[in-house]
């Protein structure tokens, strides 16, 4: 694939508009009873009609056989090599609570846990305390002050929190304290490089003070930390593609990912109808829109085949509102598959279609895993989505003389 | 893809012959009135008969979404990574006038332009002076002598010329003097690296002397320079493939590209019939032939759908002469698409077919964009063309033990 340094030289701003609709986890597997996947089972006249006019195919988010997390699945579609730009667990947790990280901030994922009087872990999730309790405890931990770093502790959900360290010359090259099993004490945080030694001392001091503050708690009397990471130094979509991009997503993590790559986050509301209304309201102000539909993935992870089918139908119902805007380029795909039969993200390639005045349509007449196999794009890396979309929007100049 | 260092180890010379026919810009898009592309509209019994016996597919010259210039489109088919071996504008301009560049020569594309009495550009193309006038002016500029570089100024066409600097320790790392807009003075040439500083001084001295020589001219009273470049250090096809390759092309730029990769340039004539005659005459003397057919691209760029269809039919008519030679391997493809509806080079993949005794034919019975989708090669990078052709000519040994 051609690199960003080349794309940024041939990309140009123009009035044409690109809409990228990501149906989270849309790819599936056949229901053994019917032999049909979720997409093949759904009544989805709009998706199928778009497929007739589109260039179709199947994307591999990372590479064949690799099941992507949500971050690599999305970053690949935005054009970023998902292996090179791997987002740490701590940063992802911070993105998930709409936290804006500065380039040098160190983020770690934290768990409240239970230790016995010898300091041995007896429950890694502190019996899943309530989010309210978590919020109270984080308030206490926020009082910790240590020389050399400003410390923030932010509640996520149940037993989960985010630790942020801000300061000069800190390093995320730290091992986890979480031993990931019971019957052991939390590990002392170790520096993985000489320049991380000072940060290790700071974090160990934080853990020590946290243990003192929490010692009277019956369940959440200790903390575990993992996934120390820093925001990757990632070129922004406006830099690479000269786009003015906006995101409409109901879940904070996707808003965070969008912000990370330089998108403006627009109000999304709770339903796909509200998302489409937001798209209409802001349509004049941007030239690229990422619309994220979540419930296909959620129902797939629940293992509820029928509910995932309904989620697809709900999305299909909302499409006329999008189609009436007549975007110059419309891309519809997913960040990965989430077959209800597996009840988890999977490695299966994801149906893809791109509709534009300048796409070369193929013979595909249905938006599904099997039908897209015959598409004009065949099977291809998700990272090529953006250059295809840009080309079809006539936003890329010729490469080479 | 396997690299040249490996290919060169397993390639071997043999009497078998490969003919590579590049139909420039052959890929297209459907005519909205008929829903058929140029290839689908043309009567082309020979191309379709070849497709029946061939391994078919679609090539991506650079990568999906990227529209190649002529140089990357051809280099990719010859097996060269078109991003790694990017040819500068100056070198391409020199190739286009059949100029043989030495490895260290610096080439720049030049324009005669008009400046007012304050030195501000009022016409970037000097009112498109005649080629004869250009030739006269180049003769004057060729008298310029500067210590440290031998200077040649060669006319191209209308206002365009090529500047060649030959000398020791010169560098092409120079910014353009052409500001690409009116109302500004030509920029002083700036060195983009410390080792280019001496070359910048030489070029600025050339510009200054050129201005003096041209000062009495009413239109062409100044020069603009851009695309300083050196011939890429490119391994030759005889080195990589152990071939004795020849090129038959009517346009100088394609002859120049062929020479750059180590092909012998044969007389081409003006028509495809003359090109085929040249092929017949020299058939015994080489084992690889690149035949370049230009008018499909020219008519596509004109936006003349019907004329492009006719160009395809004209080519098809000339094929029996080629087929009667019965080459061991015949590859027919294009360097990029040039849809008449877009009237420019485009990013769409290009139909490809390879006929040989040893190819594994597929079910494709027609040479067109849609039909080739079902081909045995599917969609693949153009850079894999040469190893496929070599294999089918039984000119590649086994890789590995």
């Amino acid at each position: 694939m051609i690199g960003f340094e080349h794309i940024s030289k041939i990309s140009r701003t123009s009035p044409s508009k690109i809409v990228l609709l990501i149906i989270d986890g849309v790819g599936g597997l056949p229901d053994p009873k019917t032999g049909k996947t979720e997409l093949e089972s759904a009544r989805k006249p709009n998706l199928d009609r778009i497929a007739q006019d589109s260039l179709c195919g199947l994307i591999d988010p990372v590479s064949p056989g690799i099941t992507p997390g949500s971050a690599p699945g999305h970053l690949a579609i935005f054009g970023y090599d998902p292996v090179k730009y791997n987002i740490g667990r701590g940063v992802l947790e911070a993105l998930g609570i709409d936290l804006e990280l500065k380039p040098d901030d160190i983020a770690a994922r934290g768990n409240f846990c239970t230790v016995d009087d010898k300091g041995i872990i007896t429950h890694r999730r502190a019996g899943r305390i309530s989010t309210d309790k978590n919020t109270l405890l984080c308030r206490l931990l926020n009082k910790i002050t240590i020389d050399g770093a400003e410390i923030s502790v932010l509640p996520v959900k149940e037993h989960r929190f985010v630790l942020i360290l801000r300061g000069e010359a800190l390093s995320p090259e730290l091992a986890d304290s979480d031993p990931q099993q019971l019957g052991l004490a939390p590990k002392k945080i170790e520096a993985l490089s000489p320049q991380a030694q000072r940060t290790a001392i700071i974090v160990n001091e934080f853990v020590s003070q946290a243990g003192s503050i929490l010692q009277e708690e019956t369940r959440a009397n200790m903390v575990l930390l993992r996934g120390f990471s820093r925001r990757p130094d990632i070129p922004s979509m406006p830099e690479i593609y000269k786009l003015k991009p906006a995101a409409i997503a109901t879940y904070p993590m996707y808003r965070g990912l969008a912000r990370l790559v330089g998108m403006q986050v627009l109000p999304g509301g709770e339903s796909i109808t509200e998302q489409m209304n937001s798209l209409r309201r802001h349509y004049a102000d941007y030239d690229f829109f990422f619309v994220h539909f979540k419930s296909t993935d959620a129902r797939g992870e629940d293992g509820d085949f029928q509910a995932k089918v309904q989620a697809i139908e709900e999305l299909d119902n909302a499409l006329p509102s999008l189609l009436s805007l007549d975007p110059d380029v419309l891309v519809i795909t997913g960040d990965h598959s989430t077959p209800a039969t597996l009840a988890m993200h999977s490695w299966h390639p994801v149906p893809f279609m791109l509709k534009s005045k300048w796409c070369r349509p193929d013979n595909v007449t249905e938006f599904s895993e099997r039908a897209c196999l015959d598409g004009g794009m065949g099977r291809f890396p998700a990272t090529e989505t953006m250059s295809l979309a840009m080309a079809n929007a006539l936003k890329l100049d010729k490469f080479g003389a």
Side-chain angles (χ1 to χ4, degrees), chain A residues 209-242:
Chain A
Q209 291 195 33
S212 304
I213 290 171
L214 300 171
Q215 65 181 334
E216 298 304 315
E217 294 292 325
T218 47
R219 296 197 291 177
N221 62 357
M222 187 35 85
V223 295
L224 296 173
L225 298 170
R226 61 189 165 111
F228 288 91
S229 43
R230 197 148 53 189
R231 214 180 85 178
D233 183 13
I234 197 165
S236 79
M237 291 182 77
E239 279 165 4
I240 306 161
Y241 305 114
K242 302 195 186 82

Side-chain angles (χ1 to χ4, degrees), chain A residues 231-378:
Chain A
R231 214 180 85 178
D233 183 13
I234 197 165
S236 79
M237 291 182 77
E239 279 165 4
I240 306 161
Y241 305 114
K242 302 195 186 82
L243 290 169
K244 195 178 168 195
I248 305 173
T250 58
Y251 273 50
M253 203 193 71
Y254 305 97
R255 292 198 291 265
L257 274 172
R259 211 178 276 121
L260 188 74
V261 295
M263 294 189 202
Q264 179 69 39
V265 172
L266 302 179
E270 289 296 311
S271 70
I272 184 68
T273 311
E274 288 173 280
Q275 288 179 274
M276 292 302 178
N277 289 341
S278 178
L279 176 66
R280 299 186 73 83
R281 269 199 314 280
H282 296 92
Y283 196 66
D285 306 330
Y286 301 87
D287 53 11
F288 179 93
F289 298 88
F290 154 49
V291 181
H292 181 258
F293 182 70
K294 175 68 185 174
S295 51
T296 30
D297 178 57
R299 298 298 81 75
E301 292 214 312
D302 294 343
D304 190 337
F305 192 97
Q306 205 43 50
K308 187 173 166 196
V309 169
Q310 280 163 16
I312 294 167
E313 294 179 347
E314 179 199 348
L315 173 81
D316 192 83
N317 280 333
L319 287 177
S321 165
L322 195 169
L323 292 171
S324 69
L325 292 169
D326 196 22
D328 299 276
V329 176
L330 171 61
V331 176
I332 302 185
T333 188
D335 55 335
H336 54 77
S337 293
T338 306
T341 52
L342 267 172
M344 60 179 204
H345 288 201
S346 80
W347 60 91
H348 303 88
V350 190
F352 168 98
M353 59 182 170
L354 181 153
K355 179 173 181 283
S356 96
K357 185 179 174 188
W358 304 114
C359 74
R360 187 190 278 161
D362 45 39
N363 295 319
V364 177
T365 58
E366 183 196 340
F367 187 63
S368 74
E369 298 84 354
R370 238 173 295 215
C372 283
L373 274 178
D374 293 327
M377 280 303 293

